[in-house]
Amino acid sequence: MKIRVGQGYDVHKWVEGRPCILGGIQIPSDKGPQGHSDADVVCHVLCDALLGAANMRNIGYHFSDKDPQWKGVASTELLKKVMEMIREKGFELSNADVTIILDTPKLNAHIPAMKENLAQVMKIDVEDISIKATTSEGMGFVGRGEGIAATGVALLVKS
């Protein structure tokens, strides 16, 4: 059995009047992340972690923000495609772990829905995905309310 690990990191600027989509779930907020797609940092770090573990480059390589077909796309669709790509290479996800970094809005009440949604999108057991939220304690661009960040890892197995 082959075991591979990959990591992902993503940041997006907060903008007024944009929906805040995290883990494919709309979170009540007066701001949302700016991006070519829906700018869902949770899905983006998962895509990058999965692609990295499979040695398949990164999300920008496969879904360029210069390509109009990805304009406004739900990042859950990108994650579905990435899961298909890694499975075509013979990999299966063992587990993934994501940390979302933002001071507001508070996310604890939304994490179970994010996990359920992502488990369905990725066709995995909900126990195989961990999502945590933390703050930057008022420091840096996240603490000033200028943006959101996330990091994640994925462990793939290949028989």
Side-chain angles (χ1 to χ4, degrees):
M1 177 186 336
K2 187 177 248 185
I3 299 173
R4 307 275 299 262
V5 66
Q7 68 174 350
Y9 176 77
D10 195 30
V11 297
H12 283 276
K13 180 179 178 180
W14 279 123
V15 292
E16 298 283 336
R18 179 129 166 136
C20 179
I21 309 293
L22 297 173
I25 303 296
Q26 185 159 350
I27 308 298
S29 177
D30 59 344
K31 297 180 192 174
Q34 181 179 29
H36 186 71
S37 66
D38 64 5
D40 183 336
V41 295
V42 174
C43 289
H44 292 185
V45 299
L46 285 168
C47 286
D48 270 346
L50 292 161
L51 290 166
N55 195 20
M56 296 174 70
R57 302 199 55 175
N58 66 16
I59 190 173
Y61 177 80
H62 294 281
F63 311 106
S64 171
D65 63 2
K66 307 290 186 261
D67 188 337
Q69 80 171 321
W70 307 120
K71 178 79 173 152
V73 70
S75 295
T76 51
E77 292 303 313
L78 305 179
L79 185 55
K80 277 182 197 174
K81 290 182 184 305
V82 168
M83 289 300 293
E84 290 169 6
M85 291 163 58
I86 66 157
R87 286 181 172 127
E88 285 173 10
K89 258 189 114 168
F91 289 105
E92 193 55 55
L93 177 67
S94 175
N95 71 296
D97 183 31
V98 173
T99 302
I100 308 163
I101 309 151
L102 77 168
D103 286 16
T104 60
K106 298 300 181 191
L107 297 179
N108 278 338
H110 305 286
I111 288 174
M114 284 187 237
K115 288 177 58 170
E116 285 287 338
N117 187 55
L118 291 172
Q120 288 179 7
V121 167
M122 300 169 76
K123 297 180 181 163
I124 60 171
D125 292 333
V126 73
E127 295 83 22
D128 293 338
I129 184 160
S130 170
I131 300 175
K132 307 171 304 298
T134 191
T135 72
S136 66
E137 298 190 8
M139 297 181 293
F141 74 91
V142 171
R144 290 189 300 271
E146 297 170 8
I148 183 172
T151 185
V153 295
L155 183 70
L156 299 183
V157 293
K158 185 175 190 178
S159 298

